[in-house]
Amino acid sequence: MISEVRYVTVAVRDLDRARRFYQETFDYVTHDTATVAGPAFAQLWRLPAGVTAEVAVVGPGGADSGRLRLVAFDHPGEPYWGDYADSQDYGHYALNIRVPEIHSAVQRLRDAGGRSKSEPTRWTVTPEVSAWDSLSYDPDGVILDVFELEPAPGSLMDDYDGRCTALQTICVHSSDARRTARFYAALGFRPWYDKTIERMEGFFRIPAGIPLHNINMVMPGSPAIGRIEIAQYVGFPGSSQRERAVPPNLGLLSASFATTDLAETEKLLHAIGAEPAGETVEVRLPGSGPVRARSWYGPDDELLEFHQAL
């Protein structure tokens, strides 16, 4: 059995600054810290030889899923998305976090060292749920989709404790949204909604007349946390980020999933055409402890890490 997204590995330039930002903006706490290096992480994270990383796992207090694994390399590179001038490119793109009130959350984000990309905009997610949505940057230029939901009573997202959440989704920019959705469906995810959004070019900063095909996929046992959001700019093709989305460059490096049987998960990944990114290793994984793990490429060359507890 494969889990929802347990972690997203985010490479940052200054670990203390990044921790303060997520603490001040979302009330996150530090769950684990570690120093990593060596051959096992070269296989799992594509960490170059001789490079060491300091790691802090952050998220809401009590959260065991949807957490961020902040990583600072001793010789940091540059943001692999650059200034997002080519926002149509493919791979891990943005982190989505739900907040109780959008305007105050965006102000906290700015005060903590972030900056805005698109101001809060209201749109209908499903007939039962509307959202106030915003796009911002964290201090390292990672895009954060910070949003407030207005769910109807009894709807899928109605169960909410009023706190800033753990990671609700990681957004993957795709060359073919339906193909990517089939891949994650094979892992156990199911679509929450599948829609084409038009007339949002100003919000997404894309050319006029380009619609967004948006598929939001949930893991049935954990629908509110650790989802996959698939985004395709229809008629506006991009390029793979595979060669740039590697340590020590900065940005969203991988999404991590727990599995109860890594060998069976590997068979499944082979069957659906996934490409391994390295060999299977045994390692102490920050936030998870001793595990057997392996990384694979998703359909848009996004790095996916699967781990089984030892």
Side-chain angles (χ1 to χ4, degrees), residues 2 179-180 182-184 186-187 242 257 264-278 294-306:
I2 299 170
R179 179 201 62 184
T180 301
R182 288 193 295 270
F183 175 89
Y184 286 102
L187 301 184
R242 175 165 163 167
F257 307 81
E264 288 300 314
T265 296
E266 292 195 49
K267 290 179 183 178
L268 170 63
L269 289 163
H270 274 299
I272 61 178
E275 177 188 351
R294 193 176 190 182
S295 290
W296 298 70
Y297 293 109
D300 296 289
D301 286 335
E302 71 276 24
L303 194 67
L304 308 175
E305 172 191 288
F306 298 87

Tab-separated table of all heavy atoms in Angstrom, residues 2 179-180 182-184 186-187 242 257 264-278 294-306:
chain	number	residue	atom	x	y	z
A	2	ILE	N	0.555	2.186	-0.866
A	2	ILE	CA	1.308	3.426	-1.001
A	2	ILE	C	0.528	4.552	-0.325
A	2	ILE	O	-0.690	4.626	-0.418
A	2	ILE	CB	1.550	3.742	-2.485
A	2	ILE	CG1	2.372	2.616	-3.130
A	2	ILE	CG2	2.256	5.083	-2.658
A	2	ILE	CD1	2.465	2.707	-4.630
A	179	ARG	N	-2.577	11.687	-19.021
A	179	ARG	CA	-1.551	10.651	-18.903
A	179	ARG	C	-0.972	10.647	-17.483
A	179	ARG	O	-0.806	9.590	-16.861
A	179	ARG	CB	-0.439	10.889	-19.912
A	179	ARG	CG	0.690	9.861	-19.855
A	179	ARG	CD	1.955	10.400	-20.479
A	179	ARG	NE	2.444	11.581	-19.765
A	179	ARG	CZ	3.495	12.290	-20.141
A	179	ARG	NH1	4.166	11.973	-21.232
A	179	ARG	NH2	3.883	13.353	-19.448
A	180	THR	N	-0.674	11.845	-16.963
A	180	THR	CA	-0.122	11.944	-15.617
A	180	THR	C	-1.121	11.451	-14.579
A	180	THR	O	-0.758	10.772	-13.613
A	180	THR	CB	0.299	13.392	-15.329
A	180	THR	OG1	1.282	13.786	-16.298
A	180	THR	CG2	0.886	13.545	-13.943
A	182	ARG	N	-3.366	9.147	-15.012
A	182	ARG	CA	-3.391	7.681	-15.065
A	182	ARG	C	-2.228	7.080	-14.272
A	182	ARG	O	-2.376	6.057	-13.596
A	182	ARG	CB	-3.345	7.201	-16.520
A	182	ARG	CG	-4.636	7.448	-17.299
A	182	ARG	CD	-4.644	6.682	-18.608
A	182	ARG	NE	-3.613	7.131	-19.519
A	182	ARG	CZ	-3.768	8.107	-20.419
A	182	ARG	NH1	-4.929	8.758	-20.506
A	182	ARG	NH2	-2.780	8.445	-21.234
A	183	PHE	N	-1.075	7.724	-14.332
A	183	PHE	CA	0.080	7.243	-13.578
A	183	PHE	C	-0.213	7.273	-12.079
A	183	PHE	O	0.000	6.273	-11.372
A	183	PHE	CB	1.297	8.119	-13.906
A	183	PHE	CG	2.527	7.803	-13.107
A	183	PHE	CD1	3.430	6.862	-13.557
A	183	PHE	CD2	2.782	8.465	-11.906
A	183	PHE	CE1	4.575	6.565	-12.821
A	183	PHE	CE2	3.915	8.177	-11.170
A	183	PHE	CZ	4.823	7.224	-11.621
A	184	TYR	N	-0.709	8.405	-11.564
A	184	TYR	CA	-0.965	8.497	-10.126
A	184	TYR	C	-2.171	7.654	-9.710
A	184	TYR	O	-2.222	7.165	-8.572
A	184	TYR	CB	-1.095	9.960	-9.706
A	184	TYR	CG	0.243	10.657	-9.692
A	184	TYR	CD1	0.635	11.501	-10.729
A	184	TYR	CD2	1.133	10.434	-8.656
A	184	TYR	CE1	1.882	12.108	-10.731
A	184	TYR	CE2	2.390	11.034	-8.648
A	184	TYR	CZ	2.760	11.866	-9.689
A	184	TYR	OH	4.009	12.454	-9.685
A	186	ALA	N	-2.659	4.721	-10.833
A	186	ALA	CA	-2.076	3.390	-10.641
A	186	ALA	C	-1.418	3.264	-9.268
A	186	ALA	O	-1.312	2.157	-8.728
A	186	ALA	CB	-1.052	3.108	-11.741
A	187	LEU	N	-0.993	4.390	-8.688
A	187	LEU	CA	-0.415	4.370	-7.346
A	187	LEU	C	-1.487	4.366	-6.259
A	187	LEU	O	-1.158	4.191	-5.082
A	187	LEU	CB	0.500	5.578	-7.144
A	187	LEU	CG	1.680	5.729	-8.107
A	187	LEU	CD1	2.541	6.917	-7.703
A	187	LEU	CD2	2.509	4.462	-8.189
A	242	ARG	N	14.212	17.935	-15.694
A	242	ARG	CA	14.926	16.810	-15.087
A	242	ARG	C	16.401	17.085	-14.823
A	242	ARG	O	16.930	16.735	-13.756
A	242	ARG	CB	14.782	15.586	-15.986
A	242	ARG	CG	15.564	14.367	-15.545
A	242	ARG	CD	15.038	13.165	-16.299
A	242	ARG	NE	15.931	12.032	-16.257
A	242	ARG	CZ	15.573	10.809	-16.633
A	242	ARG	NH1	14.348	10.586	-17.075
A	242	ARG	NH2	16.419	9.807	-16.584
A	257	PHE	N	6.833	9.172	-0.681
A	257	PHE	CA	5.682	8.352	-0.316
A	257	PHE	C	6.156	7.174	0.533
A	257	PHE	O	7.187	6.566	0.228
A	257	PHE	CB	4.991	7.787	-1.561
A	257	PHE	CG	4.617	8.812	-2.587
A	257	PHE	CD1	5.558	9.296	-3.490
A	257	PHE	CD2	3.308	9.291	-2.672
A	257	PHE	CE1	5.222	10.235	-4.457
A	257	PHE	CE2	2.961	10.225	-3.635
A	257	PHE	CZ	3.914	10.703	-4.523
A	264	GLU	N	7.042	-4.766	-3.916
A	264	GLU	CA	5.824	-4.766	-4.718
A	264	GLU	C	5.608	-3.408	-5.385
A	264	GLU	O	5.132	-3.327	-6.523
A	264	GLU	CB	4.617	-5.133	-3.855
A	264	GLU	CG	4.570	-6.593	-3.455
A	264	GLU	CD	4.508	-7.521	-4.663
A	264	GLU	OE1	3.701	-7.242	-5.581
A	264	GLU	OE2	5.264	-8.511	-4.695
A	265	THR	N	5.959	-2.343	-4.691
A	265	THR	CA	5.839	-1.006	-5.281
A	265	THR	C	6.756	-0.877	-6.488
A	265	THR	O	6.378	-0.305	-7.517
A	265	THR	CB	6.163	0.067	-4.236
A	265	THR	OG1	5.190	0.010	-3.187
A	265	THR	CG2	6.145	1.462	-4.854
A	266	GLU	N	7.962	-1.432	-6.393
A	266	GLU	CA	8.881	-1.389	-7.526
A	266	GLU	C	8.333	-2.174	-8.714
A	266	GLU	O	8.455	-1.741	-9.870
A	266	GLU	CB	10.248	-1.914	-7.107
A	266	GLU	CG	10.962	-0.998	-6.128
A	266	GLU	CD	12.437	-1.331	-6.001
A	266	GLU	OE1	13.105	-1.465	-7.035
A	266	GLU	OE2	12.913	-1.444	-4.862
A	267	LYS	N	7.725	-3.309	-8.453
A	267	LYS	CA	7.109	-4.068	-9.543
A	267	LYS	C	6.017	-3.247	-10.223
A	267	LYS	O	5.890	-3.245	-11.461
A	267	LYS	CB	6.526	-5.371	-9.005
A	267	LYS	CG	7.553	-6.395	-8.576
A	267	LYS	CD	6.865	-7.642	-8.025
A	267	LYS	CE	7.873	-8.658	-7.507
A	267	LYS	NZ	7.192	-9.845	-6.923
A	268	LEU	N	5.207	-2.568	-9.414
A	268	LEU	CA	4.146	-1.726	-9.967
A	268	LEU	C	4.730	-0.608	-10.814
A	268	LEU	O	4.258	-0.339	-11.936
A	268	LEU	CB	3.303	-1.148	-8.831
A	268	LEU	CG	2.295	-0.061	-9.208
A	268	LEU	CD1	1.236	-0.617	-10.173
A	268	LEU	CD2	1.628	0.514	-7.958
A	269	LEU	N	5.756	0.050	-10.311
A	269	LEU	CA	6.361	1.156	-11.049
A	269	LEU	C	6.943	0.682	-12.368
A	269	LEU	O	6.807	1.339	-13.406
A	269	LEU	CB	7.415	1.841	-10.183
A	269	LEU	CG	6.849	2.647	-9.006
A	269	LEU	CD1	7.932	2.936	-7.973
A	269	LEU	CD2	6.223	3.956	-9.489
A	270	HIS	N	7.596	-0.471	-12.357
A	270	HIS	CA	8.090	-1.047	-13.611
A	270	HIS	C	6.927	-1.294	-14.578
A	270	HIS	O	7.008	-0.997	-15.776
A	270	HIS	CB	8.810	-2.372	-13.346
A	270	HIS	CG	10.253	-2.228	-12.980
A	270	HIS	ND1	11.185	-1.650	-13.816
A	270	HIS	CD2	10.927	-2.599	-11.850
A	270	HIS	CE1	12.374	-1.672	-13.250
A	270	HIS	NE2	12.253	-2.236	-12.045
A	271	ALA	N	5.822	-1.832	-14.049
A	271	ALA	CA	4.685	-2.194	-14.903
A	271	ALA	C	4.049	-0.981	-15.565
A	271	ALA	O	3.509	-1.095	-16.675
A	271	ALA	CB	3.644	-2.949	-14.083
A	272	ILE	N	4.076	0.174	-14.897
A	272	ILE	CA	3.435	1.367	-15.471
A	272	ILE	C	4.432	2.257	-16.204
A	272	ILE	O	4.110	3.376	-16.600
A	272	ILE	CB	2.676	2.175	-14.398
A	272	ILE	CG1	3.606	2.687	-13.297
A	272	ILE	CG2	1.538	1.329	-13.813
A	272	ILE	CD1	2.897	3.541	-12.247
A	273	GLY	N	5.649	1.746	-16.395
A	273	GLY	CA	6.605	2.430	-17.251
A	273	GLY	C	7.459	3.475	-16.587
A	273	GLY	O	8.116	4.268	-17.279
A	274	ALA	N	7.509	3.488	-15.249
A	274	ALA	CA	8.354	4.456	-14.558
A	274	ALA	C	9.823	4.073	-14.716
A	274	ALA	O	10.168	2.894	-14.835
A	274	ALA	CB	7.980	4.537	-13.088
A	275	GLU	N	10.675	5.068	-14.667
A	275	GLU	CA	12.115	4.859	-14.808
A	275	GLU	C	12.796	5.057	-13.460
A	275	GLU	O	12.605	6.084	-12.810
A	275	GLU	CB	12.694	5.858	-15.816
A	275	GLU	CG	14.203	5.769	-15.972
A	275	GLU	CD	14.758	6.900	-16.826
A	275	GLU	OE1	13.971	7.647	-17.436
A	275	GLU	OE2	15.998	7.036	-16.856
A	276	PRO	N	13.602	4.074	-13.000
A	276	PRO	CA	14.305	4.281	-11.731
A	276	PRO	C	15.346	5.382	-11.846
A	276	PRO	O	15.997	5.538	-12.888
A	276	PRO	CB	14.955	2.920	-11.453
A	276	PRO	CG	15.017	2.242	-12.777
A	276	PRO	CD	13.858	2.758	-13.585
A	277	ALA	N	15.495	6.138	-10.760
A	277	ALA	CA	16.472	7.224	-10.744
A	277	ALA	C	17.748	6.825	-10.023
A	277	ALA	O	18.714	7.592	-10.004
A	277	ALA	CB	15.873	8.457	-10.076
A	278	GLY	N	17.758	5.652	-9.402
A	278	GLY	CA	18.925	5.173	-8.674
A	278	GLY	C	18.640	3.781	-8.152
A	278	GLY	O	17.587	3.193	-8.429
A	294	ARG	N	13.921	3.942	-2.581
A	294	ARG	CA	14.392	4.113	-3.956
A	294	ARG	C	13.624	5.248	-4.605
A	294	ARG	O	12.436	5.456	-4.310
A	294	ARG	CB	14.197	2.829	-4.758
A	294	ARG	CG	14.940	2.823	-6.098
A	294	ARG	CD	14.789	1.493	-6.804
A	294	ARG	NE	15.682	1.400	-7.961
A	294	ARG	CZ	15.726	0.366	-8.781
A	294	ARG	NH1	14.927	-0.684	-8.572
A	294	ARG	NH2	16.562	0.360	-9.800
A	295	SER	N	14.279	5.975	-5.492
A	295	SER	CA	13.643	7.077	-6.215
A	295	SER	C	13.408	6.693	-7.671
A	295	SER	O	14.190	5.945	-8.273
A	295	SER	CB	14.511	8.341	-6.147
A	295	SER	OG	14.522	8.867	-4.837
A	296	TRP	N	12.324	7.244	-8.211
A	296	TRP	CA	11.894	6.985	-9.583
A	296	TRP	C	11.470	8.303	-10.213
A	296	TRP	O	11.155	9.272	-9.519
A	296	TRP	CB	10.700	6.020	-9.594
A	296	TRP	CG	10.992	4.677	-9.036
A	296	TRP	CD1	11.227	4.358	-7.728
A	296	TRP	CD2	11.111	3.457	-9.769
A	296	TRP	NE1	11.472	3.024	-7.605
A	296	TRP	CE2	11.404	2.440	-8.842
A	296	TRP	CE3	10.958	3.117	-11.121
A	296	TRP	CZ2	11.572	1.113	-9.223
A	296	TRP	CZ3	11.125	1.796	-11.502
A	296	TRP	CH2	11.436	0.806	-10.557
A	297	TYR	N	11.441	8.315	-11.546
A	297	TYR	CA	10.921	9.469	-12.261
A	297	TYR	C	9.451	9.268	-12.584
A	297	TYR	O	9.043	8.210	-13.080
A	297	TYR	CB	11.690	9.713	-13.558
A	297	TYR	CG	13.116	10.134	-13.341
A	297	TYR	CD1	14.170	9.270	-13.646
A	297	TYR	CD2	13.417	11.397	-12.827
A	297	TYR	CE1	15.485	9.652	-13.448
A	297	TYR	CE2	14.743	11.789	-12.616
A	297	TYR	CZ	15.762	10.912	-12.930
A	297	TYR	OH	17.063	11.290	-12.724
A	298	GLY	N	8.639	10.309	-12.320
A	298	GLY	CA	7.259	10.304	-12.750
A	298	GLY	C	7.144	10.639	-14.223
A	298	GLY	O	8.148	10.866	-14.925
A	299	PRO	N	5.919	10.728	-14.755
A	299	PRO	CA	5.726	10.906	-16.196
A	299	PRO	C	6.195	12.253	-16.724
A	299	PRO	O	6.377	12.408	-17.932
A	299	PRO	CB	4.214	10.734	-16.378
A	299	PRO	CG	3.628	10.970	-15.033
A	299	PRO	CD	4.642	10.511	-14.049
A	300	ASP	N	6.390	13.241	-15.839
A	300	ASP	CA	6.896	14.550	-16.276
A	300	ASP	C	8.291	14.808	-15.730
A	300	ASP	O	8.698	15.947	-15.538
A	300	ASP	CB	5.914	15.642	-15.861
A	300	ASP	CG	4.577	15.481	-16.566
A	300	ASP	OD1	4.519	15.735	-17.778
A	300	ASP	OD2	3.610	15.046	-15.910
A	301	ASP	N	9.027	13.703	-15.485
A	301	ASP	CA	10.402	13.734	-14.988
A	301	ASP	C	10.511	14.305	-13.580
A	301	ASP	O	11.593	14.703	-13.147
A	301	ASP	CB	11.324	14.509	-15.947
A	301	ASP	CG	11.645	13.722	-17.203
A	301	ASP	OD1	11.579	12.477	-17.147
A	301	ASP	OD2	11.959	14.345	-18.232
A	302	GLU	N	9.385	14.329	-12.848
A	302	GLU	CA	9.420	14.720	-11.446
A	302	GLU	C	9.964	13.566	-10.608
A	302	GLU	O	9.623	12.409	-10.848
A	302	GLU	CB	8.034	15.153	-10.947
A	302	GLU	CG	7.001	14.065	-10.793
A	302	GLU	CD	6.250	13.694	-12.057
A	302	GLU	OE1	6.785	13.926	-13.166
A	302	GLU	OE2	5.117	13.161	-11.944
A	303	LEU	N	10.833	13.856	-9.652
A	303	LEU	CA	11.444	12.806	-8.847
A	303	LEU	C	10.489	12.394	-7.723
A	303	LEU	O	9.949	13.226	-6.997
A	303	LEU	CB	12.760	13.277	-8.245
A	303	LEU	CG	13.653	12.159	-7.674
A	303	LEU	CD1	14.157	11.255	-8.782
A	303	LEU	CD2	14.820	12.745	-6.890
A	304	LEU	N	10.298	11.065	-7.604
A	304	LEU	CA	9.401	10.485	-6.605
A	304	LEU	C	10.189	9.480	-5.767
A	304	LEU	O	10.849	8.598	-6.308
A	304	LEU	CB	8.223	9.780	-7.281
A	304	LEU	CG	7.446	10.606	-8.305
A	304	LEU	CD1	6.392	9.747	-8.978
A	304	LEU	CD2	6.809	11.833	-7.646
A	305	GLU	N	10.091	9.625	-4.450
A	305	GLU	CA	10.836	8.769	-3.526
A	305	GLU	C	9.860	7.860	-2.801
A	305	GLU	O	8.837	8.312	-2.289
A	305	GLU	CB	11.570	9.681	-2.537
A	305	GLU	CG	12.241	8.993	-1.376
A	305	GLU	CD	12.686	10.041	-0.368
A	305	GLU	OE1	13.640	10.775	-0.646
A	305	GLU	OE2	12.038	10.122	0.722
A	306	PHE	N	10.161	6.565	-2.763
A	306	PHE	CA	9.314	5.581	-2.081
A	306	PHE	C	10.146	4.910	-0.996
A	306	PHE	O	11.268	4.454	-1.258
A	306	PHE	CB	8.777	4.545	-3.079
A	306	PHE	CG	7.911	5.129	-4.145
A	306	PHE	CD1	8.465	5.635	-5.310
A	306	PHE	CD2	6.528	5.211	-3.970
A	306	PHE	CE1	7.670	6.203	-6.302
A	306	PHE	CE2	5.730	5.777	-4.956
A	306	PHE	CZ	6.282	6.269	-6.116
